[in-house]
Each structure stands twice: as C-alpha cells, then as structure tokens.
Amino acid sequence: LTDPLHHGSFGDYVARAVYTPEKIKVVTKIVRILDRRSGENDGRSMDDILHKMDIAGRMKHENVAQLYGFVIEEMTCYMLMEP
C-alpha cells in the first residue's frame, strides 16, 4: 500500500497499491469486519461487505470503478479496484 486516499467510517480506509503478480496499479479499499464474538462494533457485517462486493462486481459503467477482486484475511476485507 502506498498513498492513503481516504479514511472513512467503520474503519474503512482507501489507499493506492500495486497488485504484485501482474504489477497492476489498483486502489485498495480496506474494511474491518464486525467481530460479533468480541463485541467490537467498529466494523461492517460480513453480509454488508458481501452485498457491496456483489453489486460492485456486477456494475459495468464508465463512472464506476471496476472491482478486480478481494481478499478476506483476519477480520479485514481488502477490495482491489480500478484506480
């Protein structure tokens, strides 16, 4: 991750990055996942994240950034999007 672009609610964080295998420049949206077991509520629910990714993955419009893919790791979702 390089330049931070935005820091939002629910722990959302957006930064420029390079997707290493293909050396593609991307924007990475980092979203914390709500941990219901610990009681922490500073993240988004998994259902909310999956719903947003489903919509973003199906959107095909010149004014909407294309979702390339995502990774979920240790209660954090990394969405790789067109810059």
Side-chain angles (χ1 to χ4, degrees):
L1 295 174
T2 59
D3 304 327
L5 300 173
H6 176 74
H7 204 126
S9 59
F10 298 104
D12 293 6
Y13 180 81
V14 179
R16 287 188 182 99
V18 175
Y19 180 57
T20 307
E22 285 86 22
K23 305 274 193 274
I24 299 172
K25 291 182 181 180
V26 296
V27 171
T28 304
K29 181 172 184 178
I30 303 163
V31 181
R32 292 194 55 194
I33 300 169
L34 176 66
D35 186 356
R36 296 179 194 268
R37 288 172 283 161
S38 72
E40 289 184 35
N41 56 357
D42 61 343
R44 294 189 185 268
S45 73
M46 181 62 84
D47 289 341
D48 184 39
I49 291 170
L50 293 174
H51 179 71
K52 287 180 186 304
M53 286 191 295
D54 179 48
I55 291 170
R58 290 187 285 136
M59 297 275 297
K60 306 292 183 215
H61 191 276
E62 63 187 47
N63 295 331
V64 177
Q66 182 69 39
L67 175 67
Y68 293 147
F70 67 94
V71 175
I72 296 177
E73 182 178 274
E74 295 186 25
M75 303 307 290
T76 303
C77 177
Y78 301 89
M79 290 185 260
L80 307 176
M81 305 177 83
E82 164 183 43

